[in-house]
Amino acid sequence: MLSSGRHSKEHYQQMWRDLTQKGIWVGENWNRRKNGEIYAQAQKISTARDEKGRPLQYVCLFSDITAAKNHEQQLECIARYDSLTKLPNRALLGESLAQALMQTRRRGQHLAVVFIDLDGFKAVNDTHGHDAGDHLLITVAERMKAALRDGDILARLGGDEFVAVMLDLADVDASAPMLNRLLVAAAKEIHYDQARLQVSASLGVAFYPQAIEQTPDIDAEQLLRQADQAMYQAKQAGKNRYCIFDAEQDRSVRAYHESIESIRRALVEQQLVLEYQPTVNLRTGEVIGVEALIRWIHPQRGLLPPAIFLPMIQDHPLAIEVGQWVIENALLQIERWQQVGLHIPVSVNIGERHLMGPDFVQLLREVLATHPGIKPGSLGLEIREACAADDVTKVSQIIQKCRAIGVECTLDDFGSGSSSLTCLKKLPMKYLKIEQNFVRDMLGSSDSLLILIAVLKLAGSFDLKVIAEGVETVEHGLMLLQLGCELAQGYGIAHPMPADELPGWIKQWKPDPAWGDVAMAPC
Ligand code: C2E
Ligand code: MG
Ligand code: MG
């Protein structure tokens, strides 16, 4: 009795336990009519006992709830299936995908999540009407379903967005034939009334599992997001194609954004500082200026040199903000030193994006205007040869405009670029800084020495003053003086230092006595 077989064994066991122990059971059951028809009933069963408490009869009160049950099922269907294409909807997809992931993990296989967006669907809807659009969606859905294998999932998220899940793939490559079939299925012509409709599809594919160290516990939501992102790339790349989500690239893009954000934070939270390295006349001992060099006092990693963080922002607008910060802070420092009687020119390094930006000179003018006490000639700019050589004409115009407002320029790292002669000829620079490798190596390498001699001659004929960078020892200084180059900068003179150490350093600095004895060669 009461065992239509539509419920589990446990269901019936529980029912009988309640009836024997409590004497009553309330619940729902599927039952069978005499004619064999299965129907649903809401039941209340009570046990009638004799005077010794033994069950005599069971009294069952029930009502037929089949109609309500069917309605419930319909609602369930509406909640989990797309009414137009009858495909699973987003909710059911989520559940099925989560299950599929568990199964794939157990079996040690691969799974592909394919985000599908039709190309040109809106145009069909607009031109031929919604009925045509609906017809197209239904047909494309059927064709794509047929392009997949039994057991694969095709769901509609809404609009012209679908998701396919390919299960049990032996490896990633095994998905390629099906992806191509999906593309063909979506792009096939469809006849509707007199019209011929055609769309195509852009597919984004994300695979599971991914390398453990990249995404240890990726879930259904994340996979869908990755596939969506790859689909967007397929659209960008020209539509009617598939793109595979590249976790490696995604991580580097993410890392890039994170670095930009951390440098922006460093700027806002005042973790960036300028250090200053003197440039001197080796012979006379005069300190002719200082170069401002940026550093990042990182809360965890300590003092970071510019090579660690500037390259990350060199192609980002943040490079301009940092560049302006450098100029502004150098000007503030010039004012502070002026107040204690130290009048010393400061040169700042200007990055390419900043220099070549649309309004570099205007920005420079504006920031100078906010420091009217600063005399012309106090601020200088250093432009790397490699940057200047990119567009010599434009850089030349910028330098001329800077000169007009009292800002002189230095051609930095001269010799590192490849168009040195053009630069020398066209750029109205005041100083030229020789790439420090030549200076450092000149004592041991005759090539470097010959290049250095040639550069000095060349600079002489263009009437440029030469500063030798990378002067690390007394011997470097000696050799430079013998070659006729007396302006120098380098660890052998001073390391870059915090601003408040500079006045003390200048007071005590004396050139090496050996340098005073050198007979200068005419350059
Ligand atoms: P740079 O303009 O050629 O600056 C000289 C670099 O050489 C500095 O490195 C300095 O510390 C280092 N140096 C000085 N003397 C010696 C020496 O005797 N031996 C050796 N081995 N090195 C020496 P730093 O501060 O790490 O800067 C590296 C580069 O980063 C700079 O080269 C410049 O191109 C760039 N930079 C620095 N600060 C800024 C800035 O505020 N803005 C921009 N756009 N670039 C900057
Ligand atoms: Mg420099
Ligand atoms: Mg340099």
Side-chain angles (χ1 to χ4, degrees), residues 463-509:
D463 211 16
L464 281 165
K465 293 186 184 161
V466 176
I467 301 173
E469 277 188 303
V471 175
E472 295 189 345
T473 62
V474 175
E475 289 72 34
H476 284 110
L478 272 176
M479 177 64 96
L480 285 167
L481 283 168
Q482 278 163 8
L483 297 174
C485 173
E486 50 184 33
L487 304 184
Q489 183 183 356
Y491 295 166
I493 300 154
H495 281 259
M497 63 188 87
D500 55 358
E501 289 178 16
L502 190 79
W505 181 87
I506 291 181
K507 268 202 194 99
Q508 58 78 49
W509 188 73

